[in-house]
Every structure is written in structure tokens, then in C-alpha cells.
Amino acid sequence: MKIALSICFLIAIYSTVLGAELRVVSLHPLIGDLLRQVGGEKVEVIDLIGSNGDPHSFEPQAGDLADAEGAEIFFASGMGLENYLPKLEAILDGKSKIVEVGSTLPALEGSCDHAEEHDEHEHHHAHEVDPHWWHSVDLFRRAVTIVSKELAEARPENKSVYEENAAAYRKNLDALEKWVRRELIRIPRDQRKLATAHDAFQYFCVAYDFKSYSVQGLNREQMPDAVKLAELIATLKADRVVAIFPEKESNPKMLLSLTKDTGIRLGGELVADGRGMPSYEKMMKHNVETIVKGLSVK
Ligand SMILES: [Zn+2]
């Protein structure tokens, strides 16, 4: 009887320590999707920010942290976007690990112009680095491997599952990348100029050979002054930029008057930070379709 009991007890301990579900937290709308793709049924993702959250202004509150009870890893997109991480680290006090998924990916610098203009209370995250790495499908594919390794480290017994899921998802991303390149061919070479509200598409422009222009710099709360705006308009005209693309989050009024003054077309709304999108793939498809539609016709 005693032996049977202690075996039961051992099994109970074994299943809590080794078989226990891995709880992880997502601090970015697109990272939540990534974690579910790689973790599958072997991970419980607590989406603190939610699919509609704005990673530029989100900061977890006490209630969020209570929801995250028992989470072993907090995943952020990194590159300085989540500037509350040091504070979060202090609160977590070693009980959970924080992983900045983008921290080892090759970063692009933010536009210096706007960095100089940054006003202390106007922006949420200091930028020398442009944090929007997910607009390159290649970088997102590399992020899959980073996440898979982190999950496997936390649950070595599920390593093969994570790796299989990651491999399958990377295949989807291969197909997505091919589709992106095929679609973009429809835009004439001399019209591959992407003017957007906030400076979120530099990785896209580098990956797919576009020249980038932004009205507001890296932070969407920032407005250019009259001189800067006049300079920008002159550049857009001189470079024969066909369309300016707003974002769901940007100030469309300002862009509307900008397009009225210049005769440059107002393109459809782009999604910069994954908000309101059911998945990464859907966001990329939406953006590429919008860009092709805005730039492919004369
Ligand atoms: Zn952004």
C-alpha cells in the first residue's frame, strides 16, 4: 500500500515537473501568433497585449501580471520597442525569463532626423534602432527558430514537437515570401517607393528593394513641423512618389491634406505593428496587396 502510494506520489510529481504545460506570455501581437505556431498544443500562450494592442504604448499592469501567473517565459519583440522591460524584469525578480526575440536579428537604424527631434514626453520608446523587423519575412522565419530553441530549453521533452512545428511553419513562410516577391513584381521598378505615415517599413523596403519615406518618423504621435513637411513634399514630388500609405493608427487628416496639396494618391491603410490582424501571414498579405494596388497603376 505504502509503495503504491509513493509510486502515485512520484507520478504526480513527475507530471507536474516534466509533463506540466508550458505557460508563456506574449507582449506583441505578432509574437503571440508565432508562439502558437511553434508551441502548438504543447504551449499555453497568454496574450497580454491582445491582437488589438499597440506595442508602442502597451505596458503590462498589475492585473496583467496576475493573469500571467505561472508563466515561465515572457516573449517581447525586442530592439527597444518594449522600453518597460527593465521594470518588468525587476518585478518578475528571476521567477520568469524575458526573451527579446529580435535581439539577435540584424537591426536597421532609425532615421536620425527624427531621433534628434524626439521629445521626452512625446514618445514611448527611444529609437536608435528601428524595431519593426517583422516586415521582412526572412527575419520572421529566423525568429521561428529562436522561439523554437527557447521553448525546447524550457521543455526538453517536447523539443521534437517544437522543431517539427517550427519546420512546418518555416515552410509556410517560404511560400509566403515567394508570394510576396511574385506580387511585388507587378509594381514597375521606378515606382518602388514606399511613403508611409510612421517609419515602420524600412525592413520591408530593404528586403524587397523599395525606397522608403516616412512622414512622422518612428513614432506615430510625432508630427513634422512645417519646414520638415515642406522638405518632405519637395522630395516626394522630385522622386515622383505615386502614393502615400496611411496606417490604421496614423493621423489620416494630415495625410489627406498632404495628398491634396501634392496630387500624390492616398493609398490604402497599412498595418505596421500587427494590430487587429488574425495572423502574421494575413498581415503581410494585406500589406502587400495594399502596396501593389497603390503603386502598380499609373
Ligand atoms: Zn510601430
Side-chain angles (χ1 to χ4, degrees):
M1 189 65 179
K2 246 188 183 174
I3 291 169
L5 266 179
S6 43
I7 286 173
C8 282
F9 183 64
L10 281 177
I11 289 170
I13 290 191
Y14 179 83
S15 55
T16 20
V17 174
L18 281 177
E21 195 162 356
L22 176 58
R23 301 190 93 197
V24 298
V25 161
S26 165
L27 298 167
H28 188 286
L30 298 170
I31 300 291
D33 181 30
L34 179 45
L35 286 168
R36 276 184 285 271
Q37 296 285 351
V38 179
E41 287 176 1
K42 297 287 182 194
V43 167
E44 185 196 347
V45 181
I46 304 156
D47 231 323
L48 279 196
I49 186 164
S51 64
N52 233 337
D54 180 358
H56 285 265
S57 56
F58 172 76
E59 186 169 340
Q61 305 300 313
D64 297 322
L65 294 177
D67 292 343
E69 187 65 42
E72 288 171 47
I73 314 172
F74 283 63
F75 285 93
S77 65
M79 290 197 189
L81 180 58
E82 298 92 352
N83 68 346
Y84 55 81
L85 291 183
K87 209 157 79 180
L88 180 64
E89 198 173 7
I91 294 170
L92 295 175
D93 196 23
K95 285 196 274 294
S96 318
K97 184 180 181 183
I98 297 176
V99 172
E100 294 179 64
V101 177
S103 67
T104 54
L105 296 172
L108 293 174
E109 281 193 18
S111 63
C112 300
D113 264 21
H114 291 283
E116 278 161 28
E117 282 171 31
H118 269 166
D119 193 298
E120 211 43 59
H121 57 269
E122 260 189 20
H123 72 120
H124 301 288
H125 50 108
H127 281 305
E128 276 84 49
V129 163
D130 180 348
H132 302 90
W133 53 266
W134 48 87
H135 289 295
S136 153
V137 179
D138 181 47
L139 293 187
F140 205 76
R141 190 170 39 215
R142 286 154 80 167
V144 172
T145 310
I146 293 167
V147 163
S148 167
K149 276 187 184 150
E150 288 294 341
L151 297 180
E153 203 173 285
R155 285 293 181 283
E157 69 274 24
N158 294 334
K159 188 174 182 223
S160 61
V161 177
Y162 300 138
E163 283 178 349
E164 272 168 34
N165 291 345
Y169 188 47
R170 275 194 303 263
K171 262 195 184 162
N172 288 353
L173 295 177
D174 289 345
L176 176 69
E177 192 178 38
K178 276 195 191 119
W179 177 87
V180 167
R181 292 190 186 279
R182 252 197 335 262
E183 283 300 302
L184 294 176
I185 287 172
R186 291 159 60 179
I187 304 169
R189 199 134 271 285
D190 62 345
Q191 282 176 213
R192 289 196 169 206
K193 291 159 187 168
L194 189 62
T196 56
H198 100 289
D199 207 354
F201 292 88
Q202 292 189 85
Y203 290 88
F204 183 94
C205 290
V206 168
Y208 309 114
D209 202 14
F210 279 72
K211 192 170 177 201
S212 72
Y213 307 80
S214 88
V215 178
Q216 290 160 283
L218 278 166
N219 194 294
R220 66 171 69 92
E221 274 123 81
Q222 198 170 323
M223 289 297 155
D225 59 37
V227 178
K228 282 261 151 58
L229 198 59
E231 276 173 18
L232 178 72
I233 289 172
T235 309
L236 294 176
K237 279 183 168 171
D239 289 0
R240 295 172 185 277
V241 171
V242 177
I244 302 179
F245 295 88
E247 281 164 46
K248 293 209 163 89
E249 301 90 343
S250 69
N251 183 345
K253 253 189 208 158
M254 197 261 296
L255 287 190
L256 210 59
S257 69
L258 191 65
T259 48
K260 245 191 217 152
D261 295 345
T262 56
I264 296 171
R265 184 190 316 162
L266 188 67
E269 286 178 338
L270 299 179
V271 177
D273 302 310
R275 290 176 73 185
M277 282 284 150
S279 71
Y280 173 72
E281 287 173 270
K282 289 254 162 65
M283 181 198 73
M284 287 305 291
K285 286 200 165 167
H286 166 83
N287 284 342
V288 168
E289 278 165 0
T290 306
I291 291 167
V292 168
K293 197 172 167 208
L295 296 182
S296 61
V297 271
K298 288 261 174 193

